[in-house]
Amino acid sequence: ETGVTQSPTHLIKTRGQQVTLRCSSQSGHNTVSWYQQALGQGPQFIFQYYREEENGRGNFPPRFSGLQFPNYSSELNVNALELDDSALYLCASSLGGWNQETQYFGPGTRLLVL
Amino acid sequence: KNEVEQSPQNLTAQEGEFITINCSYSVGISALHWLQQHPGGGIVSLFMLSSGKKKHGRLIATINIQEKHSSLHITASHPRDSAVYICAVKYNNDMRFGAGTRLTVKP
């Protein structure tokens, strides 16, 4: 059973560019959530996907968008990057969301926007 | 004001001490999670609570729904317990996180 993987591990972009981050869920998990964690702060919920449909969204602008594929892997897209988007981006998979016992987190993608 | 408040922000203990980390929240929730984050960013899910108390090894988590408060206890603390402990609550279709408690256990 493979764990949750994310790619890339690190990324440097400049303001105004677009970025796509990827997450492969734990085998059999149908729910993926994405989080942004700025340095020294707790994570902030971006959105959750359940069976390819968005199933909840935090307080993030529309330039943060996502997709979940039939194999339950997921992408986070951020358009028009801003300096404040520099953060660790984490995904977590589970079978059914946060009312389930265990969330499995990926190692994260560290994004730096210059 | 954050909907999820943790205390203390930082905690230093000697090996073997009993540790308590607190989490208070101000919204109605359906579940509360305790997470452990090690340097480098990796997060491990420790507990999910909707009522009562859970125990796993040296870790104990409790929740009081009426008082909107949860505690994470670590018995016989060890240097390998050094990490950031984060409380997270499920609120409607949103998740809210505390800022974390940085625990350092010295040998």
Side-chain angles (χ1 to χ4, degrees), chain A residues 35 37 42-43 45 55-58 88 90 98-103 105 110, chain B residues 30-31 33 35 37 40-41 43 45 48 54 86 90 93-95 97-99:
Chain A
Y35 306 92
Q37 187 176 26
F45 174 63
N55 186 40
R57 189 178 180 95
L88 178 69
L90 295 157
W98 280 83
N99 287 332
Q100 301 304 309
E101 186 66 32
T102 302
Q103 304 293 311
F105 283 82
R110 206 166 284 280
Chain B
S30 54
H33 289 252
L35 310 170
Q37 187 169 31
I43 291 182
S45 181
M48 187 209 76
K54 287 190 177 179
I86 301 171
K90 185 174 189 303
N93 277 337
D94 195 356
M95 288 297 306
F97 292 79

Side-chain angles (χ1 to χ4, degrees), chain A residues 14-111:
Chain A
T14 55
R15 270 187 307 176
Q17 284 189 310
Q18 179 266 344
V19 69
T20 297
L21 310 182
R22 294 179 175 82
C23 174
S24 289
S25 306
Q26 179 117 345
S27 177
H29 285 184
N30 56 19
T31 305
V32 174
S33 304
W34 284 92
Y35 306 92
Q36 181 196 67
Q37 187 176 26
L39 200 61
Q41 298 181 24
Q44 285 192 285
F45 174 63
I46 304 175
F47 42 58
Q48 181 181 85
Y49 279 83
Y50 172 69
R51 293 187 174 180
E52 304 178 57
E53 298 284 334
E54 190 178 286
N55 186 40
R57 189 178 180 95
N59 190 26
F60 279 80
R63 60 189 186 85
F64 285 79
S65 63
L67 278 175
Q68 189 180 29
F69 299 100
N71 66 355
Y72 301 137
S73 66
S74 177
E75 284 183 356
L76 164 65
N77 297 290
V78 187
N79 292 322
L81 283 166
E82 301 177 1
L83 297 180
D84 284 349
D85 296 333
S86 296
L88 178 69
Y89 288 85
L90 295 157
C91 74
S93 76
S94 67
L95 192 62
W98 280 83
N99 287 332
Q100 301 304 309
E101 186 66 32
T102 302
Q103 304 293 311
Y104 293 85
F105 283 82
T109 294
R110 206 166 284 280
L111 172 66

Side-chain angles (χ1 to χ4, degrees), chain B residues 55-73:
Chain B
K55 184 176 189 290
H56 184 243
R58 295 181 295 106
L59 301 178
I60 303 166
T62 64
I63 188 168
N64 184 319
I65 297 293
Q66 287 74 28
E67 293 185 5
K68 292 187 166 62
H69 181 268
S70 176
S71 293
L72 176 68
H73 306 284

